[in-house]
Every structure is written in C-alpha cells, then in structure tokens.
Amino acid sequence: MTDITPEQTQPAKPARPRGRLTRWWDSDVAWSFRHSPVAIVATFVVAVMSLAALLAPWIAPYHPFDPATLNLLDGFTPPMQENQFTGNVFWLGTDDQGRDIFSAILYGSRISLFVGISAVLFAMTLGVTLGLIAGYVGGWIDTLIMRVADVQLSFPSILIALLVFGIARGFIPPAYRADMAIWVLIVSIGLSDWVQYARTVRGATLVERSKDYVQAARLIGVPSGLIMLRHVLPNVLGPVLVIATIGLALAIITEATLSFLGVGVPPTQPSLGTLIRIGQGFLFSGEWWIILFPSIALLALALAVNLLGDWMRDALNPKLR
Amino acid sequence: PAAMAETLRWARSGDALTMDPHSQNEGPTNTMHHHIYETLVTRDNDGVLIPRLATEWSIKEGDPTTWVFELRQGIKFHDGADFTAEDVVFSINRVLEDTSDFKGLHAAVEGVTAVDDDTVEIKLSGPSPLYPNNLTNTFMMDKGWAEANNVTKPQDFANNEESFAVRNANGTGPYRLDSRDPGVKTEMSYFDGHWDDKPDVTKIIYTPIKENATRVAALLSGEVDFVQDVPVQDIERLSGTDGIKVTRGPENRTIFFAYDMASEKLRSASVDDNPFTKPEVREALALALDREAIQKVVMRGESIPTGVQMPPFVNGWTEELDKYEAPNTDRAKELLAAAGYPDGFSVDLNCPNDRYINDEAICQAFVGMLARVGVTANLVSQSKTLHFPLIQNRETDFYLLGWGVPPFDSSYIFNFLVHTKGDALGGWNGSGYSNADLDTKIKAIEIEVDLEKRNAIIAEIWDQIQEDRIFLAVHNQVLAYAMKDNISIAVDPENQAEMYFTKVE
Amino acid sequence: MTLLEIDRLSVAFPTRRQTFVAVNEASLMVEPGMIHGLVGESGAGKSTIGAAVMGLLEPPGRITGGVIRFQGEEISGRDEQAMRALRGARISMIFQDPLTSLNPLLTVEQQLVETIRMHLKLSEADAQKRAVELIDRVGIPQPELRVKQYPHQFSGGMRQRVVIALALCSEPEVIIADEPTTALDVSIQAQILDLIKELARERQVGVILITHDMGVIADTTDRVTVMYRGEVVESGTTEDVLGRPSHDYTKSLIAAVPRPSLKLRRFPLISYGDRAATAGIAELSTMWPDMKGDQDAPLLEVRDVSKLFIQKRAWRPSKREYLRAVDDVSFDIRKGEVFGLVGESGSGKSTVARTIATLYHANAGSILFDGVDVTALKSDRALESYRRQIQMIFQDPYSSLNPRMRVLDIVAEPMRHHKIETDPGRIRDQVEDLLERVGLGASAAIKFPHEFSGGQRQRISIARALATRPRFLICDEPTSALDVSIQAQILNILKDLQDHLHLTMLFISHDLPVVRQMCDRVGVMRHGKLVELAETNALFENPQHPYTRELLGLMPKLEGLSTEGLEIEAA
Amino acid sequence: MLTFIVQRLFQAVLVMLVVALVAFSLFRFVGDPVATMLGQEATVADREALRDRLGLNDPIAAQFGRFVVNAAQGEFGISYRLQQPVLELILERLPATLELAFVSGVLAFVFGVVLGIYTALRRDGVLSNIIMTTSLIGVSLPTFLIGVLLIWVFAVELQWLPSFGRGEVVDIGGWKTGFLTVNGLQSLILPAITLGLYQMTLIMRLVRAEMLEVLRTDYIKFARARGLTDRAINFGHALKNTLVPVITITGLQLGSIIAFAIITETVFQWPGVGFLFINSIQFVDVPVMAAYLIFIALVFVTINLIVDILYFVVDPRLRVERSTGGG
Ligand SMILES: Nc1ncnc2c1ncn2[C@@H]1O[C@H](COP(=O)(O)OP(=O)(O)OP(=O)(O)O)[C@@H](O)[C@H]1O
Ligand SMILES: Nc1ncnc2c1ncn2[C@@H]1O[C@H](COP(=O)(O)OP(=O)(O)OP(=O)(O)O)[C@@H](O)[C@H]1O
Ligand SMILES: [Mg+2]
Ligand SMILES: [Mg+2]
C-alpha cells in the first residue's frame, strides 16, 4: 500500500489463490517451517521413527512379537557380541527373552506411538472442547463440567484403566479382547489426562471471552460454537500445545505401567515403554543395553515432538513470526 | 564376638502386616514373629523338626489321636510373666478362633488340656501322625497379657477398632519389640531373660524396602547390613562387590503349570473341546517345556529344575520322581497331531507378575516353547490379587502357580492341590482333577500312624499324579540373602531368616 | 542547542513478502520549551518516528538510516541498557492506543506509583499522593476512588488521560504525545493541552505533538511538520504552514478540515495522491437490505435505560457502592436518521452504545428495535436476528480485532456468517473493495492487525462493520484516529449510505464539527444523564443547557483556514 | 464471594459421594481382597465366611450405602492389610507426603517460573536452549528410572545422600516432620527432585510460552517506554499476565503430587499416602482405597477452589459479573 519504491509495490496486490498445494506451500506456517532448521530436523526424526514403526514387519531383522521365533537361550546377548550358548550376534543385543532389541524397538514403537499419540489427541480434544464450553458458556454447565473434572482427578490412571478394562470386558466377546486392549489403553490414558487441558483452556477462555474482539464477533452474530473455535481457541492454544507435547512421553510410559498391571497389551508384545520397564530390572546387573537403546528412542521422540510443538506455537502466533 | 552389642540393619521387600501372631499366616509377618514369639517346635535349615518351647513330644500311649508336649521350664515372657501350659492352651484355642488365619492347620484339633504346668495334651479328631509339623508357625502368647489387653481373639476386620496386639507384642522370643512404625521401621533388642544362649546380634533394625533396586542400593551404600529377597539378576553383581557376600539355598517352593483337566470345553481355547483332557496333549506340553533353558536364562542358574511338584525336603520326594524328560519338539508335535490337533490350538495362559521370582518371564519363556510345538498361548499376566481367585474359583484354563509345603509332608500338597475340590479340601485344585481312589488314599494318610505304610501310600499317590500329569513342574526356587561379609546368615527354606542364629565376626 | 534532533531517519519493516518502508528520510527538530506539531495522513509513519526515538520499534521494524540525537548525543544506535536510562526519565511518550497501553491486571495506582518511584525517589505514601494529584490534574473525577480501579473500569477517554498521567509523572525533558486527545471532549482536551503548554513553558520541556486535529495544531503548536507516506513534505512555523501551505498535500489537507461554522453537503475530499475520491457507492449498496419506508417511525427507542457498575466491593450488598454510568437515559432514533451523541468523557456514551448493542445488560429500562424489546431477549440465539441488523464500530479499534486473524478473515467473517456471499473469490473481491474504500488498499487483506497504524486499525473495524450491511450502525468515535482527509472519505461513505439507503446511525464523537456535519439530531450527555437533545443546527445555533454552551464555546474556531471551494448545504 | 465458596463446599460433598460410588463399582475389578487376606491353607468355607463378615457379598449399592453412613460418622473402617483404623493410617502418613509435596512443589514452581522467564527472554540463547532440552530428558524418562539413577549416583557412588526413607523425624503433636533433622532434610532431596522435575519442566515451558506472547503486548512496550527496570517489567507486569494457566496447572500438579506420588514414594520407600495407596491397591485393601479416594477428591476440590479464587485475585477482569462479561 504505502510503499514507495516500485519493485515493492508489485507484490502489494497479492496474486489470486492458485492450486491448493501451492497455496499451502505459500502459507506463512509452511514458510516459517521452511526457514526453521529445528522444525525440519524434528519433523525428520518423528517421520523416520513413525515410518520405522509402520514398516517394522518389513525392515526389522526379527519378529520379536512371534514367540515361536524366539530362542530363550539368545537372552541377554550383549550388543555386537556372540551369545554364550547359541553364538548368535545382535546389533543392539537382546532382552531377557532373547528378543532382538533393535527389532523390539521397531515393533514396540508401533504400540507406543499409536497409543501415545491417540491418547494425547483424545485427551486434548475432549479436554479442550469441554474447557472451551465451560469457560465460554459458564453457568451451571461450567459447574457441571468442572465437578466432573474433580471426580475424574480423584482416580489415578491405574484405577481408571481397571474400570474401563472391566467394563469393556463386560460386553466385548473374548475373540476381540486382544484388539480391545489397545483401545482400553487409549481411553484410559485419555480419560485420566483430559482434565488438565480442560482446566487450562477454561482459565484462559475466561480471560479471552471478555475481550472486545470476542464481543465484536458476537455482534456480528457468529454462533457461539464458531466463536470458541475460530476466535477463542487460537488464542488459548499456547498452553495446550505445551501440555500435549510434554504429555506424550508420559502417555507412552503410562501405557507400559498399565500393560504391566494386566490391562494392556500382553508382555509377549512389549511396547517401547515396556522394554524400558523390563530394562529397569537389569539396571545394576550389567545388561545396560536393554534399557539404554529404548530410552534413547523414547528421548529422541519426546525431544522432536516438543521442539515441533515449540516451533508450531511460535509459527501460529503472527506476532512471533 | 558375641560379647559386645551388635546392631544388625535388616531389609526385605515387605513389612510384617501385624504384631498379632495369629491373624496373618504370611511370610514376612511370621519371620518377624519368630524373633519376638516362639513356637513349640521349629525346624533347622534342613527342615528337620527340633525342639523350641517344647522339649519333647509324642503320641500318647493308647490314644493315637492325642499328642503330648513336654514344655521347656523356666521360660519367661518379655513382661516377666512365666510361660506355663495354660499359655499353650490359651494360644492353641486362640488359633482356633474363626478370625485366626492359622485355624486351617489345626482343623483336626478337638481340645487342648494342660496336664500340669509343663505338659500339654492336644486331642485330635483322628490319628494325626504329623500334627507337630503344623505347629512350626503357631506362636505362644501370654494368657494374662492377652486378657489384660483383651486380645483374646485375633483381629476381627468386621469391627472397627484396632486391637492392642496389632502394634504391641509380648512373647518369649529372643528379642523384644522396642519400637514399631509400621511400614517404616521396627526395632527389636535382645531379651536377656531368654532361655537360649545369647545371640551375636543384640539389636535389630528392620526396614522394609519394597523396590528391588533401592533395596540393593541400600546394601551397596552401606545403609543396611542384610538384605532378603535379592533379585536373581543382581546376585552376580552383589557377590562381585567386595565387602558383600551372598548366600544361597533352596526354598521350600515349587513353581509349576497346571491346566483344566475337567471341563468339557475350555473358556479361551480356539478348539471347541478340551485338549488338556487328552494325555497326549499333556505329555506334549511336558516335552515342550525346556527347564534347563529357563534355569540358565530366566533364572540365571538360580533355580533347581524338577520333574515333580515338591521340593526335596518334603517327605515323599525321591530322585526318581524328580527326574524329568528332555524337551523334544518333534515328538510333542506328533503327540498333538495324534491327539487330533495337527496344527495345534490356542489358549490363554494365566500368570501372576508380582508373586514368584520372575514369574512373568517364566510364562513368557514357556509361551515361546509352546509356540514352537504349535500351541498358541495368549499370555494374560496380572497381579496375584487377580490371578489367585481365578485358580480358587476355577476360572482359568491354564495357569502358573507356586506352592510351598510348610509341614514338609506330601499330604499338604495332596490336600490342597490334588484332592477333589470340596469346601474343606482341594481349595487350590484349579485343574478340577478328581480321582475318587486318590481321594480315599489322601484321607487315609491323614490318619495312618504307621509311617512305613503311610509313605508307601504317598508313593502310590505320587505315581498316579505323575502318570496323569496333573502338574507340569518347572523348578524349585532358590533363595539368596545378601549381607556384609562379616555376618553370616544361613538360608532358611521357609525364607524365615533367623537373626538369633546369625554369626557376626 | 537542540533538545531532540531527528536527522534523515528511515525506518523499515522487513516482512516476509515485502520490505515496507514506514519512514523515509524524515527530519525534525525540537527545541527546549517548544511544541512541535506532527500531522499527516494516517499511516504516514508518525507513531513510528515516536517509537524509533524511544527505541521501541515493533519487530521486525528497524532503523535503516539517519540518526536521532538527544542533546547532541546520538541515541539511535544505543543498546537496551543505555536506552532505559533515557526512557521515562528524560524522554517519554504518550502512546496512541490508550486501552492496550495499560496493564489490565494492575490498578491505575499501582502503575502510577511504580513509575513515579522509579524516577523521582519518593516514599510509597508520597508517590500515592502524587498519583492522586496527577489523576486529578488530568481531570478524572473522584481521583482517590478512581486510582484504586483497574483500566477496564475506565472509559476510553479516561484511559487516555491515565496514559498521559503515566507519561508525565516522571518529569521528562522531551515528551512525544501521540494523539493524546483523540478520545477527549473539548473541555478536557483544552485542559490537557494547557497542561502540556505549561510544561513546555515552565519546565522548558520539548514536545512532539502528533495529532490530526488542525484546531489543536492551530492553537497549541509553535512549529508543524507535515508527513505523507513516510516522508516529510512540509515543515515550518504553525502560521506559515496553516495559513500559507506550500505543498499540495498540505493544501488539500487543510481544505478537508471540517468547519464547525457551516454545514456542508459532503465532506470536501482530498485532491492529492493516487487515492482519487472513490466515487459512488453503487456496488457497495447492492444486496444491502432495503431500509426504505416511512422515515418518522422510530427504528430504535431507548426507554429510561440505566446501567450500574459496581465501584466498591463489599461482602454485604448494602455496603457496596455503584456507579450510575448511565442514568435513566431515553431517546429514540428514526429510520434513516443519524443521531449524534456528544458529551463529557466518561459520561456514559460508550456504555449506552454497548447497552444498545446488548453487550451490557441494562439494569433498568428497555430498548425497542423496530418495536421489539431487545432487553427482554436473553440468549445469543434469540438476539441473532437483532444482531444481524445492527453493527458497532468499537471505540478502541485494536482490541476489537482478533490478533490471530488476517484482515481478510476479519472483514470477511460477517459475509460468511450472514451468507451474504459464499464464493471465496467473490468474498475476497468484496473485502478488497471495502479495504480500498477505507483507504487501506487491497494488500492489507493478508496482514495481521498488529501490522497497522492506529488509524488503519480503526478503518479495518469500519470495513468490518460495513461488511455486515447493517440497518443500524453504532459508531463509537469512528474516526478519532483518522486524519481529516481519510476521515472525510469515510464519513462520506457513511453519509452516502445514509442518503441512498437510509442507513440509521448512532454517532458518538467528540469532534463537534464532524458531529455538526454528520448528524440530524444530537444528544448531549454528562455524568450519565442526557442533558440536552435537539436538532443539530438548533443545538449549535442556540444551545440551552449550560454544559452544552460550555462545550460549544470551547470548540476551536479555525479562522485561520481558507474556505474557498467548499459547497455549502442549503440550510 | 461467600456464597460462591459455600456453593463450592456443597458441591464438594456431591463430588465426594460420586467418587465413592465410582470407587465401589470398580473395586471388584481390582481383585479379591479375601484371596490375599487369608493364608493359603484357608478353605473355600473360610473365604466365604470372611467375605460375608466383610459384607463383600452384598450388592455394591449396599456396600456403598454402608460406607457413606459410616463415613458420615467419621468411621472409615479398618485396613484389611494393616488392621489399623484407616483414618489413622492416612493421617499417620500424610505429613511425609505433604512435606515432600511441599518441597518439590516449591522447587518446581520457583525454578519453573525463573527458568521460564529466562528462556523466554533469551529466546535463542545457547544456555536457554540447553535448559529447554535437558529439562525434557527429565520428563521423557520414567520417574522410576530417574529415581533409581539419582539413588545410584548420590547414594551408592558418592554416598552423599540416603537412598531410602525419610531419615530421623521429630514428632510435633502427632505431626512427624523431617524438616528439623539434618538427615531428615538430606532424605528429602532426592525424592523432591525426582518428583519436582516433571512439574518444573511443565511450568517452565508454560511460563515461557505465555511470556513470549505477553512480552509483545503494547502495555509491556509502554512500561518499557516509562523506563521501568527489567525486573519490574518481567516479574511485575509480564509474569502476572502469564499466571492464569500457570496457577491452573500448578494446582493440578500439586494435587497429583499429594495424591499419586506413587512411584517416587515407592522408589524411595517414602512412607507417604501414595505408597500406602499403591500397597492397598495391590492388596485390594478396600477400606483404605475407598477412604483414600474420598480424601483425594477433597484435596482436588479444595485446590481447584483455591485456584478459581486465585483467578479473581490475579485477573480483575474476571471479577465483573458474568452479565457484562458476555457469553
Ligand atoms: N509491525 C509492523 N509491521 C509492518 N508494518 C507496520 C508495523 N507497524 C506499523 N507498520 C506500518 O508502518 C506505517 C506507519 O505506521 P504508523 O503507526 O507510524 O502510522 P501513523 O502515522 O501513526 O498513523 P496513525 O495516524 O493512523 O496512527 C503504517 O503504514 C503501518 O502499516
Ligand atoms: N466495565 C466497567 N466497569 C466499571 N466501570 C465502568 C466500566 N465501563 C465503564 N465504566 C465507567 O462508566 C462510565 C462511563 O464510561 P463510558 O465508557 O461509557 O464513557 P464514555 O462516555 O464512552 O467516555 P469516553 O468518551 O471517554 O469514551 C465511566 O465512569 C467508566 O469509568
Ligand atoms: Mg499512530
Ligand atoms: Mg467511550
């Protein structure tokens, strides 16, 4: 508009929207992504890990989830060393059941990533939605939601899992139990986590909704639902992203705990978290590799996700671009 | 040297649940009580009955249903009261109360009488040659003290106030209770009125440490002197550390698998009959199990593979029974095919994960071995609180269980695991196995006084058991104690570490 | 020597798509005790200069050329540490946007006391006394009670005065006042200006006074600098520039100044630069709801409405103190009429507006729109149809714009929601058209609110208001931050809409000349009461209520300006 | 305000009732207490008898009803596992947990806020990036692992700090405190760190995220224009505007530290309520579980009430009656 030098006036009248893809490529978020090495690296890490998990059956040298293929005598083989009984060699060694750690990590990440991410998403959606409604609508709805939250808070995920599991067992035929486990985990972890999202969002919403831009939107006649979604939500998303990204690792670990308590996947299919849990037993006994490599995998994932979260928060905030 | 006072800091995974000697028949609780209270008879580390408060015992001439106990004289309780036959009578009766957790061991008792100050007669419903075996954890309380503090019955959960005996104790044992902070710390010191010679250890500080890693760390950092329940994987490291030594010994507990041999149809199987009813299948399972592999890897050598569901100390054990066939996958496959399962079947395997040494790992290992013969076992491993009811209520097809034999006699095993499930006997018979002939024999040995004959019957029963493959025994557990190397504590098969026998140099 | 010297200063905002030069080689000087007026088109870069002097340019903005000297020493290059020593203590700035400049979580007192103690070493108690004095000094009633309140409890004008107080309390040597009086009624404006003059005269403070109000320029400043699109086009003594403007922009700017004395049919449009008067409102009016019909029937009736705000909290209701922000006010607005609302700052104008807009629930009285009592409607759903027909331009533009939405979406939102337009392409066209009309240019569509100047933000909210095509428009100080030229352009649009489509308006303003031009009838408010209500001309010719007289009396006369080429309306 | 609090207290009762109800309906999924209460010699008959005596055979509604009636009279029954009155059990262990929670909470909050502000101000600084990353290691690994590693380094290798328990405690009117003895304080260090790490990182990242936004607002700009010191601006002006989400989360976290510091307390053999709770779950100690969950409900209701009140304290805009607030 008020530029003075000709070459700058040129982009002033922005080009008409082209193809969806090019438009996305041109969007500010995409742009700031292209210009953030951290974000790119982080995405790369996440992508690699997810792919590895997805393609585990094809890229993993062994099938750690198939008991028939395991030889107990392979157990506790150190990385890159010959097993004392069988003479087999494994890159990252084996665990107490003779599973190849590397393959186990790949297969385990499938469970962990799926459960972890779905649980966090579930908790986040549920929490954010309820939080927005409670904060924006207020009144008895607010009270109701918040008291439900209080009830929820009083139960640790262990008990919630037992409850969900027990109930699920009630109406799910034995044939489907195996697949049920995963969903039980997701629901239980999600249920025990949604409150912190809900309360945070509610708090922030209480502040936002009294601001003039929300009033303006109401005047324009934007329906409450959309006001929450398009006006309030973007302005309260910051803390949510923080909690969610930090929560992922926790969710993955919780999965392991619940599985141990018998409400999750069987020990014959160890997730990343379960591998770490198993490894904890061998901290002092010299089998460091059982816990080290899975922990590294989990750390890498957690780091990448958090860095992505940080970047995204900044990218979504026009003032910080 | 025994002369100077020696304090011993002792850690194990659990704390005694209560100081009341009759309300919880449970490992750590009994261990603690053995220091404060005493029993009429006890065992040495080879499981042989030896005198304690009773100097001798025998079956009354002419009346095979009555046992006579001669009591040691000049025994005093910690509060100075004398120990007399009255106290024994009182204690046995207290044990018989329905809030007692030991009444099962004394089910046969009909009456207790004090003949004189140091003779007691126990009348039983029938001849019971091995009754004294059941007394090794039956502690003697002071009648006067109990009445004074109205703790004449063990704690009743139904009513709401705490009984005095839960936190206070008055026994004849070598140590008296100084202070107790449940779950945190219990202090005991030598009771110098004790009849036996003075132990090296004169003060005990007992701290439960639940977490294996922490417990081991506490020993390594020198915060405790003696650690029980040492995780097998840490034994090597500990014995490698200088200043620390580890002693091992066989435990009186056998780990075994069992399966539903009665139901028409299994709950979780892929086939719609019950494979376990077929002898071939049971044999196949036996051939699938590679005990040595489990011992080498899962147990890190810390177990004694066995083919029979009882530890060597138990009366009835023989080399012969202990043998087990070498694993043979191909043969197993053939047998399964013969039984009509050419491509195997699948079934849930229930397993505890917080009860026995590496219980879950053992199950996992077995799952692998089964898979190789074509049986798909879906492992369901969970806490003992969820696992045990499955067995007691016969809701499992296939499960792992560990069984200890406190009386050191086969009959104990038969009564609980072999006898047809009724409300008195067969309480842990989760396989539904029922054999009228065995049941009569089991009843018979209860009352058979002639030990020769009795042992003969026991042998017969065992042969039948082995033939029917009621149990798929895996191994006998091995216990390990770790301690500063200036102390030596022998491993007790019942895992009842005894500080009063501890040597300190 | 010169107190503050800005020498060929250039400021640029390098953004992703373009590097935007906000200030281009602008120079000006301030001598001690001198008031230097800075006028110019909205978005010309006036605030930016201020920010540059303070070293507080909004990132990514940065100085690309020139130097700023304070008492001879260069300060443009200095680091935070060094700048902090200057800020407040020696140079201080009155920010343009009063609402967002105050910390919402701290009471006015806390913010004042903190600043005072920062600079003048005073005890807590003395500082508090000083704070109350200052609040009183800037003409806020009941200062003891007011200082204890939070910014959101203040009216627009009051906040602005708080900002002024905050800037003055540190006794600086240079004051940069960025539109200090836009939200103030003439009497208080006069009071503030006197305060500034006094400071200049007695404490030899140098002042840069950024304003759009030629009246203010005329009777306050010694020198004037005129800016246009980042460049200084003219600079000189006030009489010279106003009396004998040399540069065309200045000429047309002065020509565009609304005259209080005479009512014109349309506002004279500026004849300078590419922004040639965007003619008729033909296509803007398409699809506008038809609002013809008998003109005398009232569209909106306000029946003795009162609005109370709690002023002193207490456990027991009886102990609480309330403020009658609106004290049973009644008036009605006929279809197609422009109803003006003037009055003292803090007299309740905005509150009336918000109450009509149902953003506040009236504590008493009722509001009828087209015969329907809207105060009875409670839920948002019930209000839906009412809100479809009305629209409001908020007094404070910035906070009424969602900081995370692009201007395109902000302006397009109503279209999408009222299904006025569905096809994205067409929506975009219309948005850009609107933006052109309010003089922002199409390229504004892809920017975010924080990238704009005060006046530009105000125009965004105007564009949004127009986009809904309301039957009834509430304008709360719609042009307070606009220079006369753009103001004229905007007001003409509104006037045309009114003429052709009989758009009804509630027009709140402090700018009496503008009110006189715009409104058919005018109400005068004071202390929450409506003290006078009359036909515009009648009111201006012979005001009845003493307060009205006082107001009109203080209205700047602007004799200095030439009147050639203005079409006077046949009264 | 007063009415607000009274309402809340009333709601609290409801919450606790619901919690109790849910609790009783889920206990059967936890396991069979009788299985662990009786020795292995117990016969089927014995178990049935005990079950009857404990009323475990009654319908859940009945058990719930009985519990509520007794609880109303302050009777929470006696622990199946430890045979002591439940209330006593919980109260005995509460000080340990509260002291631990207090210390780790304070650590987490102070460090979280300070580091959060720092990393926000030095957004791209090397140090702040290091802080941001390392703090993540802390939250990405299981608490158990962190605890054990700490024990390993500080208790076993360096032998600076005790590896378990809370050391010597001083009994002040029934409240056993570890604050007054040297090794009581030493014993606090490791568990407090283990427990506080997660909360600290969370708070730190929250503060940072909010600060980044607040620092760009006009009022901060104006505050700087008035020449206020960085401290005044960052802590006085900016921080206050970041507080609403921070206190929300801090509240919740504090609650869960008090309630469910299960792993930490287990690893360090810390005799607190969390440890008690996990043991009673493993033993299906119904009376303890029931009473404990109620107690937790109370804790959370109270904390959230305080948090909601803090909202008003922190942000005056929330004090306006909802009618003007809109919505
Ligand atoms: N953060 C920013 N990013 C990009 N451009 C900006 C930013 N801030 C201001 N500008 C541009 O700089 C120009 C000058 O802005 P400035 O606020 O100085 O105008 P102004 O003279 O104060 O106008 P007004 O009288 O309306 O306040 C405007 O065109 C605006 O679009
Ligand atoms: N949310 C609120 N809480 C408490 N008091 C308020 C609130 N909003 C406005 N007031 C008070 O109500 C009175 C009227 O405010 P209002 O904004 O209507 O004044 P105004 O006429 O618009 O003034 P200005 O011309 O300065 O904008 C003022 O005294 C103000 O302090
Ligand atoms: Mg400006
Ligand atoms: Mg106003």
Side-chain angles (χ1 to χ4, degrees), chain D residues 208-242:
Chain D
R208 173 179 176 273
E210 294 292 293
M211 279 295 270
L212 283 178
E213 303 205 349
V214 174
L215 285 174
R216 292 302 189 84
T217 54
D218 287 4
Y219 54 82
I220 293 299
K221 220 161 113 188
F222 186 45
R224 294 170 66 198
R226 280 174 298 174
L228 298 183
T229 61
D230 282 350
R231 262 183 79 261
I233 292 174
N234 298 334
F235 288 86
H237 289 253
L239 181 59
K240 201 157 189 232
N241 281 276
T242 69

Side-chain angles (χ1 to χ4, degrees), chain A residues 199-200 202-204 206, chain D residues 243-245 247-249 304-319:
Chain A
R199 283 199 63 90
T200 320
R202 170 177 174 270
L206 288 176
Chain D
L243 279 185
V244 166
I247 54 180
T248 313
I249 284 299
N304 287 338
L305 171 58
I306 295 171
V307 167
D308 286 354
I309 293 175
L310 280 180
Y311 285 172
F312 297 132
V313 178
V314 169
D315 193 330
R317 288 167 297 182
L318 299 181
R319 291 177 208 159

Side-chain angles (χ1 to χ4, degrees), chain C residues 46 61 87 109 143 250 333 391 430 537 539 568:
Chain C
K46 307 183 290 296
R87 293 189 195 131
E109 184 174 44
T250 323
I333 306 178
Q391 206 34 248
Q430 297 202 11
N537 281 333
L539 186 93
I568 291 136

Side-chain angles (χ1 to χ4, degrees), chain C residues 125-201:
Chain C
D126 299 351
Q128 281 170 354
K129 238 191 260 91
R130 185 91 206 284
V132 176
E133 282 166 29
L134 277 159
I135 292 298
D136 190 32
R137 194 84 187 276
V138 293
I140 295 179
Q142 310 172 275
E144 298 80 5
L145 196 139
R146 283 298 193 168
V147 284
K148 298 266 184 284
Q149 291 188 343
Y150 292 89
H152 73 272
Q153 295 173 297
F154 280 54
S155 79
M158 291 168 151
R159 290 189 194 122
Q160 191 160 45
R161 285 176 270 167
V162 173
V163 171
I164 295 171
L166 276 166
L168 300 189
C169 67
S170 56
E171 295 177 359
E173 297 161 43
V174 174
I175 296 171
I176 304 168
D178 192 350
E179 322 235 352
T181 60
T182 44
L184 303 181
D185 61 274
V186 277
S187 61
I188 295 179
Q189 173 172 352
Q191 191 177 340
I192 298 290
L193 293 175
D194 291 342
L195 181 61
I196 293 177
K197 284 187 213 155
E198 187 183 315
L199 285 171
R201 210 164 298 106

Side-chain angles (χ1 to χ4, degrees), chain A residues 260-272:
Chain A
F260 175 69
L261 294 168
V263 292
V265 286
T268 45
Q269 300 177 12
S271 65
L272 204 54

Side-chain angles (χ1 to χ4, degrees), chain A residues 101-169:
Chain A
I101 294 281
F102 176 66
S103 315
I105 290 178
L106 294 188
Y107 274 81
S109 326
R110 298 185 107 185
I111 303 175
S112 292
L113 281 176
F114 181 67
V115 172
I117 292 173
S118 327
V120 168
L121 287 182
F122 175 55
M124 192 162 95
T125 340
L126 187 64
V128 170
T129 320
L130 293 178
L132 276 174
I133 295 175
Y136 187 80
V137 179
W140 65 270
I141 297 185
D142 179 23
T143 313
L144 182 67
I145 295 178
M146 282 305 119
R147 294 298 80 70
V148 172
D150 290 344
V151 172
Q152 173 69 78
L153 283 168
S154 314
F155 293 91
S157 52
I158 302 166
L159 289 186
I160 294 171
L162 285 170
L163 183 61
V164 176
F165 187 68
I167 292 170
R169 208 165 14 185

